[in-house]
Amino acid sequence: MPELPEVQNFRRLLLPLISKEHPLKLERCSLEKKPPRKFIDDDEIESVHSGEFLVSDVLRKGKLICMVLVSKKDNDNANKPKGRKKQENSREATGSTTATAMGSATTKYLFLHMGMTGRISTPECIPKLQELADTNVYPPPYTYLQLAAGPKEACFSDPRKFGAVFLKDELSEEFGVLAPDALINTNVNINVNTRRPVAVKQEADREDDSDGGVDGDGDDNSLSAIVADEAILGKLTHQSMGIKGILLDQKRAVCGVGNWVADEVLYQTKMHPDQNYLTREQAMVLVHRLHVILDVAVQCLSRDEEYPREWLFHYRWSKRGSKNTTIKDAEGRSIVFVTSGGRTSAVVPSIQKQKSQKPAKTSSSSSSSSRKQPRAKESAKKKKPTTINTTTSPLEASQRPPAIKSEENSKNTKKKTIIKTTPTIKKEKINDPREARNSGQKRKNAPGEAAVAIRRGTRRSPRFAKS
């Protein structure tokens, strides 16, 4: 499944479609096959062609790509040179000439989601996916949409049809519901000792820092500057849910993290996928390692290089092999597969152990508990007089208050009434001939009882009487 590094690479392939002269052209392919469920229809494609929309920018948030389309007619009118007085008036009204141009243009947003097996390809580059076989044919199989802007072109293919291509009038309809981006919004350095933001490392400094601040075993050597975001840290710390489930939720803490990225982050930070109630320090180390992994992965894909060999990424896919073979990581440690966060997770039990951590007590909870204690004591005091000791001596029983005696007298009277009514019940039961016989009482047979007794064998028939 394409995750943030792959989607960032797809965005890079769509950037050449940005043009101020050539409108975007869309063409549906593989008409004999049904496209994905959420797919742009012919009427929407015609509206893009008739409006002569230009691609002004290609955005990404998490695993979602957005192509910003601006009408060419409105864009030309906005870019016309104005007089000096008109320019000054427009700047005073809007603050800048660019804001005026964007505000007057008709804008549409073309969203592309890769799903499980979706990808963007160009004639010069056909990305490889772990789930798909290698192919150098352009357009690749299962291509459903081709995009072109002048001489530049790209295509969208999706064999399993879990992807989506759709138009929207507002950017916030899709981007607004997502959590902060896992790559862009984690690039804020925080000092662990002071817990205040510090300067972000430049690209030259990152190249000099070979281990990225954390060594291969996951021990942090530069905790003085850890990449983290306060909003993200608040969603990761002191949560009862497992950490992997939180990372996979695109609307909770961060967006763009998938199954293999989450496993890689937890492997390098030596955390179990079901670990909960993270401390602030643990969350800061986790976010820092997440940013480093995503940054390195994006750079490797842009250079068409493999990920570092010590990563778990190269060994976790061996799960599809034989069950008898033991899978090991680069250090020779055994890898097991468990279900966490609803997904299959690769775990190295020797270093990823779940710790029993409890949630931190806040000041509000402690104050509320202290307020509740006096009430509990008061209620206990009220309940004490109502308790009755059943194992009292005769002397103590004689000294009981009159209220309790009245209760006992009422109980005794109830028992006496029950005893009085029992003889009447016994007399009524004697009506049964079998009970009368057993009790030894003499009674006359009711009409019809003689024949019944003869049939049952309890009375002799007159025919067998002695003469």
Side-chain angles (χ1 to χ4, degrees):
M1 181 179 183
E3 301 186 24
L4 191 149
E6 292 87 359
V7 177
Q8 179 69 10
N9 188 38
F10 297 155
R11 174 188 174 272
R12 182 179 61 85
L13 297 177
L14 291 173
L15 289 177
L17 297 180
I18 297 177
S19 175
K20 296 182 180 180
E21 299 178 359
H22 305 288
L24 178 65
K25 298 294 182 183
L26 305 176
E27 182 181 358
R28 290 185 57 182
C29 305
S30 303
L31 299 178
E32 68 278 1
K33 301 176 183 179
K34 290 184 178 179
R37 288 185 178 180
K38 197 170 184 179
F39 201 76
I40 187 172
D41 56 21
D42 294 334
D43 295 338
E44 291 175 333
I45 292 176
E46 183 61 29
S47 65
V48 172
H49 292 170
S50 61
E52 295 185 350
F53 283 90
L54 302 172
V55 180
S56 64
D57 199 359
V58 180
L59 309 176
R60 182 200 57 79
K61 188 174 184 181
K63 304 177 186 179
L64 189 61
I65 295 177
C66 177
M67 301 179 68
V68 183
L69 309 180
V70 180
S71 178
K72 184 180 179 181
K73 298 178 182 179
D74 296 338
N75 191 37
D76 293 341
N77 295 333
N79 292 332
K80 284 183 179 180
K82 299 180 181 180
R84 186 174 181 180
K85 292 183 179 180
K86 292 182 178 179
Q87 288 182 359
E88 292 177 356
N89 294 334
S90 62
R91 288 177 184 177
E92 291 176 358
T94 60
S96 65
T97 56
T98 56
T100 308
M102 293 301 296
S104 61
T106 304
T107 308
K108 290 184 177 294
Y109 301 93
L110 181 65
F111 291 94
L112 298 96
H113 194 279
M114 302 301 117
M116 293 291 293
T117 56
R119 58 177 169 174
I120 301 295
S121 305
T122 62
E124 298 81 13
C125 180
I126 302 176
K128 299 177 183 179
L129 292 180
Q130 193 72 27
E131 299 85 354
L132 301 177
D134 296 341
T135 178
N136 295 323
V137 180
Y138 181 85
Y142 304 98
T143 295
Y144 294 100
L145 185 66
Q146 282 187 321
L147 307 92
K152 303 297 182 179
E153 61 177 315
C155 66
F156 169 82
S157 58
D158 185 11
R160 297 188 64 181
K161 301 180 183 180
F162 287 104
V165 180
F166 53 94
L167 272 176
K168 291 288 184 179
D169 295 330
E170 295 292 338
L171 180 65
S172 59
E173 292 183 19
E174 299 297 328
F175 277 14
V177 297
L178 297 175
D181 188 77
L183 177 62
I184 301 172
N185 297 110
T186 57
N187 196 16
V188 178
N189 288 342
I190 291 181
N191 189 298
V192 176
N193 299 324
T194 60
R195 295 188 178 183
R196 293 181 180 178
V198 296
V200 180
K201 281 188 175 183
Q202 301 297 328
E203 295 296 332
D205 299 334
R206 293 181 186 177
E207 294 177 359
D208 296 338
D209 191 5
S210 57
D211 59 354
V214 179
D215 57 16
D217 295 334
D219 298 331
D220 199 339
N221 296 328
S222 61
L223 285 177
S224 60
I226 290 185
V227 180
D229 186 13
E230 290 294 337
I232 298 174
L233 290 175
K235 300 291 184 180
L236 295 176
T237 55
H238 310 301
Q239 301 293 325
S240 60
M241 187 178 181
I243 183 58
K244 182 167 183 181
I246 296 176
L247 291 175
L248 293 180
D249 192 347
Q250 305 298 306
K251 300 179 181 179
R252 189 160 184 167
V254 291
C255 66
V257 178
N259 200 27
W260 80 260
V261 172
D263 285 353
E264 191 67 43
V265 173
L266 297 175
Y267 169 72
Q268 295 189 20
T269 55
K270 297 181 180 181
M271 289 187 188
H272 194 274
D274 294 331
Q275 184 64 55
N276 54 1
Y277 298 117
L278 265 67
T279 62
R280 182 179 177 84
E281 286 72 18
Q282 289 175 331
M284 294 173 73
V285 173
L286 178 72
V287 175
H288 166 63
R289 180 47 50 182
L290 172 62
H291 179 81
V292 171
I293 290 174
L294 293 176
D295 194 13
V296 172
V298 169
Q299 293 180 16
C300 290
L301 291 176
S302 62
R303 300 169 187 169
D304 197 12
E305 299 176 355
E306 290 188 354
Y307 297 149
R309 294 305 303 175
E310 63 270 15
W311 279 16
L312 184 67
F313 176 86
H314 299 284
Y315 309 96
R316 69 183 307 278
W317 307 104
S318 303
K319 172 181 176 290
R320 302 174 183 177
S322 176
K323 294 182 179 180
N324 299 327
T325 59
T326 303
I327 305 170
K328 297 183 178 181
D329 64 350
E331 300 293 332
R333 296 169 293 204
S334 300
I335 301 174
V336 299
F337 295 91
V338 298
T339 301
S340 177
R343 302 291 300 275
T344 301
S345 307
V347 180
V348 179
S350 60
I351 60 173
Q352 294 178 259
K353 297 179 181 180
Q354 186 174 3
K355 302 177 182 178
S356 59
Q357 298 181 171
K358 296 181 180 180
K361 293 183 180 180
T362 59
S363 59
S364 59
S365 61
S366 60
S367 61
S368 61
S369 60
S370 62
R371 291 175 183 175
K372 291 180 181 178
Q373 287 178 357
R375 295 181 181 177
K377 292 180 180 179
E378 290 176 2
S379 60
K381 290 179 182 178
K382 292 180 181 178
K383 291 181 180 179
K384 280 184 179 179
T386 57
T387 56
I388 300 172
N389 187 8
T390 56
T391 59
T392 55
S393 62
L395 183 62
E396 292 177 352
S398 61
Q399 296 177 358
R400 287 179 182 174
I404 298 174
K405 289 183 178 181
S406 62
E407 290 180 358
E408 290 183 354
N409 294 333
S410 61
K411 290 181 181 179
N412 294 332
T413 52
K414 288 181 181 179
K415 290 181 180 179
K416 289 180 181 179
T417 54
I418 293 171
I419 294 169
K420 289 180 180 179
T421 54
T422 48
T424 57
I425 295 172
K426 289 183 178 179
K427 288 180 180 180
E428 291 177 357
K429 288 185 177 180
I430 292 174
N431 294 334
D432 191 352
R434 289 175 291 183
E435 291 186 4
R437 183 174 63 255
N438 295 332
S439 61
Q441 298 181 11
K442 295 181 179 180
R443 61 183 295 278
K444 294 181 179 180
N445 292 332
E449 288 187 0
V452 174
I454 292 171
R455 287 196 299 271
R456 293 178 179 174
T458 58
R459 183 175 178 181
R460 290 182 140 237
S461 176
R463 292 178 294 173
F464 301 102
K466 293 181 180 181
S467 57

